[in-house]
Every structure is written in C-alpha cells, then in structure tokens.
Amino acid sequence: MTTADHRDQLIFEQGTPGQRGYSLPAQDVPSAPLEGAIPEGLVRREVSGFPEVTEVGLVRHFTRLSTWNYGVDTGMYPLGSCTMKYNPKVNEAAARIRGFAELHPLAPDDVAQGALALMHALVQMLGEITGLPAVTLQPAAGAHGELTGMMMIRKHLTTRDGNPRKVVLIPDSAHGTNPASAHFCGYEVRQITSCARGNLSVSALAEAMTPDVAALMLTNPNTLGMFEDEICEAAQIVHAKGGLVYCDGANMNALIGRARPGDFGMDIMHLNLHKTFSTPHGGGGPGSGPVVAVKEMEPYLPTPVVVATRDGMHLDYERPLSVGRVKAFHGNFGMLVRAYAYIRSLGAEGIRKTAENAVLNANYVRARLRGTYEIPYDRLNMHEVIFSDHKQNEYGITTLDIAKRLIDLGFHPPTIYFPLIVHGALMVEPTESEGLAEMNRFVEAMQQIAEEAKTQPEMLKKAPVTTRRSRFDEATAARKPVLRWKAGL
C-alpha cells in the first residue's frame, strides 16, 4: 500500500533551491585553480538535480528511512540456513578497539604482535572445536571457503597421485554454492539423491563412488535440518577408494561443543564465522569463511600462515605446496576479532549450550506447528525445520503468500522455495538466541496465517498490506532493477 505524503519522497524530491545544511568557514588560504590539480575530464562544474535541504530536513529524512528497516535488533529473523541471530554487542566493541581497527594491514610482524597472536589463538580454537587442526583464516565468506577447500583438495590429489581425479559427488540437499565451487575447480559434478528420511543415501553413494571421484561434498546438518547419521559409513566408502570428504560447515551452529566433524571422518570443511561465531549473515558484514582440515592437508593451506616462534608471532610465506593467497592481506580481520571475542566470552560450556538451544528452538517450532503446516520430514531435526505449503494450497495460497503475510505480522520471512527437493518449502531457523516469548509470537503468527488461508485467501494474496510498498512484480524487480535515481523517471 502506498501513501502520497511527503514522507515517501526521495531526498531528491525534497528541499528548495538555496537551502543549505552546512556552510564551510571562510577560506583562510589563497585560492588555487582546479586546472592542473585535477584532470579536466574528471571535473564536474555542477550536479544536475542535486538535493538542497536543511540540516534538520536531512537528519529527519535518513532517520525516518532507518525506521523502515528490519533486522535482528528489531525482531526475530527466521531465515533458514543463514543463522540471522542476535549477537552481544561486546563483540562489536572488541572489533573497534583502535589497536585492531586502525592497524595497517602492511604493518611488519614486530609491530602487529597482538593481531597475529589473536589470529594464532583463533586458529587453535577452531581446530579444537572442529577436530580439524589445519586452519586458514583468509577466505572472505562461506562460498569463498568452499572454493579454497576444493582448490586444496585438487592440489593434494595432484601431489599425491599425479592426478586430481575428475568428479565430485554432491547430495541433492546441498547448498547451491557447492556445485558451483566444485565446477570452478574443474570438477564434473554428479548429484546423489537423498533417501526417504531426508539423508544422504549411503547405498547410492556406494554405487556412485569410483576411483575417478575426488571428493564427496556434503552439508551436515543438511539443508533439510537433518543430521547425517550415517556420516561415518559414508566417509569410509569415500576413503576406501581414495577420495576425500568435504563438509559444508554453514550449519555448524547445531554442532559446536557437541560433535566434531574431524571425529566423524571429515577431511576438510569451511566455517561461516559470520553466522556461527558472531555477526548475522549480511547484518554488518563483511563475512569470513575459514577452512579447517586434517593435518595431512596443512601443506596446501593458503599463504601466509601465522606461526609462533621463540621470537614471537610471524607470517610464514615459505610453503611450496600452498594453493597461494586467496584474499588480500589477512582476510576480513574484523570478523576474526568478533569470532575470538564470541568464543572467549562463551567458553566451552557456553558454546555447547549454544548448539543445544539452536536444536531445542527449531524442534519447539516444529512441534507447535505440526498439524497446521505440512512437515515433509517430520522427525527430530537440528537447527532448522522445513515446512511446505501443501495444506494451504487447497485454498490457493502459496509459500510466497505466507511469507509476505509474515511481514504484516512483524517478522522477516523465512527462506522460501529452498531446498529445491521440497515443493513449496519454508525453511525456518529460529536460532539459539530467540527466547520462548518471541518464538510463541512467531508460532501464533503462522497459525493466524493458516486460518486466514481458509477464511480470507484474497487478503493473503495482497500481503503485505502494512508496509510502505506492497507486493512488487518480483520478476521485473529481479531482472530490471532500478538502482539509481534519475530526474523525471
């Protein structure tokens, strides 16, 4: 729904010629011509349509816009597989400590000892938590970590056998970035169909596993919210024919402190520090996707690697089998500080409790909404639960309608239409940081929508109805986005 008052105007549509928000003090140095100082082609004499507003008008405009946002600081954000949880603000304060935030990335080792010590300590922590001691902190995000991991696998197999092999096996419940990462590294991707329980089919894996397979690449817990309970058998099948097992660790918040991937046969995996270890995904950015691996994979880690010596911390570049640098400087360092602060503040007991709460909350939502929404895999799940729109389809209501109506009721929509193997999927991840009252409010909103599907289906088709703008033409918005203001458009 739209309103036509001035509050909906763009900043370009506000103001009056001659208005000023700030005036520069009188010049106290001699004037100098632009010519010669700036190339003529880069000088703009005037800006057409530039808004002229007062200071108070400017402040009110942007303050008003900020109130239209929705985020984890304003309410539950049940975006499945993305772990949009609240994180203590002390982690943000730690990342802004001047010694970290203002340290030049080219500072020599001897004046960056604190930052290097933090990185070295974080490497030890992540190695202990995952049971995979070879760690690089460089990758900038989860998909970047996948790419780095697959590069390491290829380098390892080439070094070991003189042949990188050709195929990577990936279950149909995988994250969409997995096939892309494998393909980028030169592998042919073959899909493994999940079994009726929503897990990797071990028999299908055994049939597909040949000496030409470089790796099995799977997510655990998978995108159906299920723990791969035959993971040890799967790893044995792959290892028996010389392959490696790559684990997508994006859902690691369900396992930390409870299970270590290194103990159930994983060879290499990436972590999403910005999801599992502080900072919501996309909620302040940038991300960070460290790769952890078995000791055998250590020679292939990107350079440089932080090493501890009697003389202090140093960056080691002399690693002849390394896949090389994958990120400028030392990765997204601020994220490393946040993750370090998160782990240190929680401790071993707190980390374990985090995973327990993530699983408890997801199963609470599943149990409360059973009977209201179809649950394709109705068994104990991990950090997230998948519903479908099957029951609401009877009244012409789709997953998209349900998601849009949730906005009216005060919630960010969950992930929808993913994983692809569930028709009309709604992937809900309440996360470990939500309390009982907020989850009850979410459950009641979902129950209200299910009732409205029966009694007011046309209203759901128009949702959201309480926002500044209602439903967009999604295809046009995605394919022909208008991202820049133009006069008269």
Side-chain angles (χ1 to χ4, degrees):
M1 175 175 291
T2 60
T3 58
D5 65 37
H6 74 282
R7 293 176 300 171
D8 284 332
Q9 291 180 325
L10 301 175
I11 189 69
F12 299 99
E13 299 168 321
Q14 298 183 27
T16 302
Q19 284 189 340
R20 293 290 182 271
Y22 180 74
S23 297
L24 293 172
Q27 183 172 303
D28 59 356
V29 295
S31 297
L34 284 177
E35 292 75 12
I38 300 175
E40 180 61 25
L42 300 180
V43 176
R44 186 159 57 177
R45 301 294 176 187
E46 61 181 27
V47 182
S48 177
F50 195 76
E52 298 178 69
V53 295
T54 62
E55 177 181 345
V56 68
L58 185 74
V59 170
R60 285 175 178 171
H61 174 73
F62 285 108
T63 300
R64 188 163 51 246
L65 287 182
S66 73
T67 66
W68 297 359
N69 283 338
Y70 187 94
V72 291
D73 287 340
T74 51
M76 183 173 168
Y77 209 123
L79 202 64
S81 223
C82 282
T83 320
M84 298 291 284
K85 66 186 179 187
Y86 173 82
N87 286 281
K89 293 297 178 276
V90 67
N91 303 334
E92 296 297 317
R96 286 165 173 74
I97 293 173
R98 288 188 61 188
F100 291 139
E102 298 181 11
L103 180 64
H104 196 284
L106 290 177
D109 293 357
D110 58 349
V111 298
Q113 286 294 296
L116 294 178
L118 181 145
M119 294 170 67
H120 188 266
L122 183 58
V123 163
Q124 311 306 311
M125 292 174 180
L126 298 181
E128 175 60 26
I129 289 171
T130 61
L132 296 165
V135 182
T136 175
L137 303 174
Q138 275 190 32
H144 193 196
E146 291 174 27
L147 180 67
T148 303
M150 296 310 294
M151 290 168 61
M152 291 172 61
I153 286 176
R154 189 177 181 90
K155 189 68 178 283
H156 167 69
L157 293 175
T158 304
T159 304
R160 188 190 72 181
D161 304 333
N163 178 1
R165 303 191 177 200
K166 298 177 182 176
V167 176
V168 170
L169 303 177
I170 302 180
D172 56 7
S173 62
H175 283 119
T177 49
N178 291 175
S181 297
H183 184 72
F184 258 73
C185 287
Y187 289 110
E188 174 190 339
V189 174
R190 293 180 189 167
Q191 184 172 286
I192 304 292
T193 303
S194 297
C195 69
R197 297 176 63 246
N199 287 115
L200 170 71
S201 170
V202 174
S203 59
L205 172 65
E207 187 175 338
M209 190 64 208
T210 72
D212 209 22
V213 172
L216 166 68
M217 191 178 192
L218 83 170
T219 305
N220 196 16
N222 65 31
T223 58
L224 293 170
M226 302 294 172
F227 182 75
E228 295 287 356
D229 48 14
E230 294 183 293
I231 187 63
C232 294
E233 291 83 350
Q236 290 171 4
I237 291 170
V238 176
H239 290 156
K241 293 194 176 178
L244 299 177
V245 182
Y246 184 95
C247 183
D248 181 325
N251 299 334
M252 188 64 187
N253 65 317
L255 301 182
I256 50 176
R258 295 285 304 186
R260 305 198 313 169
D263 295 340
F264 50 70
M266 302 299 96
D267 296 298
I268 185 167
M269 70 182 293
H270 75 269
L271 298 165
N272 287 2
L273 294 190
H274 52 282
K275 294 164 64 177
T276 302
F277 296 101
S278 196
T279 309
H281 181 37
S288 182
V291 171
V292 296
V294 294
K295 191 70 175 177
E296 187 181 6
M297 300 290 287
E298 190 170 26
Y300 314 105
L301 291 173
T303 53
V305 173
V306 180
V307 295
T309 70
R310 289 183 177 180
D311 300 326
M313 300 291 168
H314 297 285
L315 292 171
D316 179 12
Y317 293 85
E318 301 301 321
R319 307 178 74 84
L321 294 179
S322 168
V323 297
R325 183 184 283 278
V326 298
K327 179 76 172 68
F329 304 118
H330 312 303
N332 291 327
F333 181 71
M335 295 307 305
L336 309 184
V337 178
R338 290 178 176 91
Y340 176 86
Y342 184 77
I343 296 171
R344 288 295 303 269
S345 61
L346 287 176
E349 184 177 345
I351 287 285
R352 181 187 180 96
K353 193 70 175 176
T354 293
E356 292 172 349
N357 285 345
V359 175
L360 175 64
N361 284 358
N363 281 283
Y364 178 78
V365 171
R366 176 179 59 86
R368 287 289 312 274
L369 291 176
R370 179 190 289 129
T372 305
Y373 291 87
E374 183 191 62
I375 306 174
Y377 300 92
D378 192 7
R379 43 184 278 242
L380 188 68
N381 49 281
M382 301 295 285
H383 60 299
E384 61 195 5
V385 55
I386 310 294
F387 301 100
S388 85
D389 61 1
H390 182 72
K391 293 186 177 182
Q392 288 68 42
N393 271 172
E394 181 180 344
Y395 310 102
I397 297 302
T398 67
T399 288
L400 183 65
D401 301 327
I402 297 167
K404 295 295 186 185
R405 182 58 175 154
L406 269 173
I407 298 173
D408 285 334
L409 301 181
F411 294 95
H412 191 284
T415 300
I416 59 174
Y417 298 113
F418 185 81
L420 300 177
I421 56 177
V422 173
H423 182 270
L426 288 136
M427 179 192 278
V428 176
E429 181 173 1
T431 78
E432 61 273 13
S433 61
E434 291 301 338
L436 182 60
E438 185 72 353
M439 287 196 298
N440 281 338
R441 205 167 69 82
F442 175 77
V443 166
E444 290 161 7
M446 290 288 284
Q447 290 171 335
Q448 176 181 328
I449 294 171
E451 182 62 25
E452 290 172 346
K454 301 176 185 175
T455 58
Q456 306 178 69
E458 289 307 313
M459 188 266 285
L460 290 189
K461 288 292 181 185
K462 298 175 182 175
V465 297
T466 60
T467 53
R468 311 298 295 187
R469 295 287 183 272
S470 186
R471 200 174 294 199
F472 290 96
D473 179 333
E474 305 238 345
T476 301
R479 296 173 184 172
K480 298 179 181 179
V482 179
L483 304 177
R484 181 180 176 187
W485 176 83
K486 293 180 182 178
L489 184 65

